[in-house]
């Protein structure tokens, strides 16, 4: 296991998670540096989503701690962690289906509102200025990700790939320094997956956002991640560059399979 750098953006230290007598995670440590693009992989049931839930405050680890920008965040609720600069998407799309695309994005700006309830009720100059700022930034984000023509459409009416993109846009609207993507390529066809790879790379390069990516599709993971972390049965199995992980005998045996599996992962 590699040692966390002095200025790690996110660090999980020796985290374990148990539900009764069942261990979902055992002594897992992980770090993400500012601007880094890291893949988190492993077989079904390896503990990837459980780790995501610990990092984002959905679960509190049974043991261990989580730090964001050097600050302990273990036990903070998800909305507080989001305000600190961490956002995520989910395996199952969680859009507001009856709301249009624009309103779905606007809901994410709530975390960034400067005023409280009184500020909203009075609807003074600062409120109107903030409202215009939110509208303009929402338009920019939708245009950047090619969703501006669908702005007035109910989100449930979008093609599947566009719904996935909208989820990412909604997460980015909170201006995160770290974006956690939980299986964003699930259900996508090959063309949509190629578009997703380009989108994730653009987010990292143009927004400067660090990304932690959980994904089963090895072509996606190997094609864009600079470092991989591998879980198996709730424990850390391996970490390193894609080439190092692909050649690790423990990973081949537990996840990638035989030599044919290596070939597929490298494709």
């Amino acid at each position: 296991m590699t040692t966390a750098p002095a200025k790690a953006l996110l660090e999980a230290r020796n985290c374990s998670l148990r539900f009764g007598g069942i261990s979902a995670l055992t002594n897992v440590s992980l770090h993400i540096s500012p601007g880094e693009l890291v893949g988190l992989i492993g077989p079904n049931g390896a503990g990837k989503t459980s780790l995501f839930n610990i990092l984002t405050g959905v679960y509190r680890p049974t043991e261990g701690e989580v730090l964001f920008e050097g600050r302990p965040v273990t036990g903070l609720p998800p909305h507080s962690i989001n305000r600190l600069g961490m956002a995520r998407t989910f395996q199952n799309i969680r859009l507001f289906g009856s709301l249009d695309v624009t309103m779905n994005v606007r809901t994410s700006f709530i975390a960034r509102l400067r005023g409280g309830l009184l500020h909203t009720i009075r609807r003074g100059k600062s409120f109107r200025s903030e409202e215009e700022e939110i509208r303009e930034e929402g338009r920019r984000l939708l245009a950047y990700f090619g969703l501006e023509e669908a702005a007035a459409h109910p989100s449930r009416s979008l093609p599947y790939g566009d719904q996935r993109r909208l989820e990412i846009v909604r997460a980015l609207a909170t201006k995160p320094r770290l974006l956690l993507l939980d299986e964003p390529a699930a259900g996508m066809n090959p063309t949509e997956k190629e578009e997703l790879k380009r989108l994730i790379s653009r987010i990292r390069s143009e927004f400067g956002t660090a990304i932690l990516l959980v994904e089963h599709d090895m072509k996606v993971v190997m094609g864009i991640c600079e470092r991989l972390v591998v879980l198996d049965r709730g424990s850390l199995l391996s970490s390193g560059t894609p080439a190092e992980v692909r050649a690790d005998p423990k990973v081949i045996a537990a996840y990638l399979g035989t030599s044919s599996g290596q070939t597929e992962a490298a494709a």
Side-chain angles (χ1 to χ4, degrees), residues 15 22 43 45 51 53 56 69 80 88 97 103 110 130 144 154-155 157 170 173 192 195 204-205 211 228 236 260:
C15 288
I22 300 174
L51 181 57
N53 286 336
T56 56
E69 295 188 316
S80 296
R88 71 171 292 181
M103 288 304 299
I110 293 173
E130 192 171 35
Y144 186 87
S155 65
S157 71
R170 201 170 60 169
E192 290 171 333
E195 292 176 352
R204 200 277 287 266
S205 62
I211 297 173
L228 299 179
L236 182 67
S260 62

Side-chain angles (χ1 to χ4, degrees), residues 113-157:
L113 292 176
R114 294 184 290 272
L117 178 60
L118 187 60
H119 172 76
T120 302
I121 293 173
R122 287 178 174 174
R123 303 181 73 85
K125 184 177 179 180
S126 62
F127 171 83
R128 293 193 299 272
S129 175
E130 192 171 35
E131 276 284 290
E132 181 55 34
E133 181 182 317
I134 287 172
R135 278 195 297 269
E136 190 57 38
E137 187 166 350
R139 284 194 292 264
R140 283 198 301 268
L141 280 171
L142 291 176
Y144 186 87
F145 292 103
L147 292 170
E148 69 275 24
E149 292 186 2
H153 298 172
S155 65
R156 68 160 68 99
S157 71

